[in-house]
Amino acid sequence: MKNFIVLSLIFLFLTACKKTDHQLLLDRADFPVAVGSWWAYQLTDQDGVVFDTVTFKIVDVINRNNQLYQRWIAIGGNDTLLVLPTDTSVNFYTYTIDFPVINNSTWTKNPEQGVSYTASTQNVTIGNKTYNNATFLNRYSPYSPGIYYNESIWIVKNIGIIKHTANNYNQPYYNEQLIDYHIN
């Protein structure tokens, strides 16, 4: 009887333990960054009202401080982004995505103290198109009570960023959703 109780307790302990999912969500090779590729986004406010569209195109590579940056031009505007893709990351102005992205893990190697980073998958519908198992990245920065920054990014393998939202306590919410793209 004593053995039965011990075995039952071990079984209960093992089945009650939650396994952490360390599934690979996204690797660097899954994130396209070839010159000539472009992505068109529709920009909406918190009420879903469209206020602009923007197309980012990778036009060339430039050497700056011995690093090879890609120049992403906002077609129809004057904005230029310098994006630094490496074998293990893609560095944008406001964030870096380090690869591989693992489920339930931090997606940057240098997290800011007090900021939470999450990675998971979600199905996302934009217009009439559903993207299954999009990699979802979230960064939440609670600076102090009532002051925060919340940013979410959805990435689909071999397409890139399909959705990007940001909400800052003192600035308007915005939402960028992919409406067209071309990958070289």
Side-chain angles (χ1 to χ4, degrees):
M1 183 69 171
K2 186 177 179 183
N3 287 342
F4 175 75
I5 292 172
V6 170
L7 288 175
S8 296
L9 288 173
I10 290 172
F11 176 76
L12 284 173
F13 176 76
L14 291 175
T15 57
C17 291
K18 186 177 180 181
K19 276 180 104 176
T20 303
D21 182 3
H22 293 293
Q23 173 191 10
L24 172 68
L25 301 179
L26 198 63
D27 208 346
R28 174 56 191 83
D30 300 325
F31 194 95
V33 288
V35 171
S37 298
W38 57 265
W39 300 264
Y41 297 94
Q42 188 173 63
L43 284 69
T44 61
D45 64 14
Q46 65 270 12
D47 298 319
V49 175
V50 176
F51 64 87
D52 205 355
T53 57
V54 64
T55 300
F56 289 102
K57 182 175 184 180
I58 305 174
V59 293
D60 59 13
V61 176
I62 62 172
N63 188 329
R64 183 170 276 182
N65 299 324
N66 293 320
Q67 293 187 311
L68 298 178
Y69 286 85
Q70 291 180 334
R71 213 163 36 111
W72 293 30
I73 301 292
I75 297 173
N78 295 324
D79 291 340
T80 299
L81 299 175
L82 291 181
V83 177
L84 179 61
T86 69
D87 291 340
T88 60
S89 68
V90 176
N91 186 345
F92 292 89
Y93 178 72
T94 59
Y95 57 88
T96 298
I97 302 170
D98 286 303
F99 298 96
V101 176
I102 306 295
N103 197 28
N104 297 316
S105 296
T106 299
W107 45 271
T108 182
K109 290 184 181 114
N110 299 310
E112 298 174 48
Q113 187 173 7
V115 176
S116 68
Y117 297 86
T118 57
S120 63
T121 60
Q122 294 181 355
N123 296 335
V124 179
T125 300
I126 299 173
N128 295 325
K129 179 144 179 69
T130 298
Y131 299 92
N132 293 315
N133 298 315
T135 298
F136 171 69
L137 307 176
N138 181 261
R139 174 175 64 161
Y140 180 72
S141 307
Y143 297 115
S144 64
I147 299 175
Y148 62 89
Y149 183 75
N150 189 21
E151 181 174 36
S152 298
I153 304 163
W154 290 262
I155 302 170
V156 172
K157 289 180 180 182
N158 303 315
I159 295 176
I161 297 172
I162 62 161
K163 187 173 179 179
H164 177 225
T165 64
N167 188 6
N168 193 335
Y169 75 98
N170 67 351
Q171 294 183 358
Y173 164 91
Y174 71 89
N175 180 13
E176 302 168 334
Q177 296 186 47
L178 186 68
I179 54 175
D180 200 7
Y181 66 94
H182 170 79
I183 305 299
N184 267 357

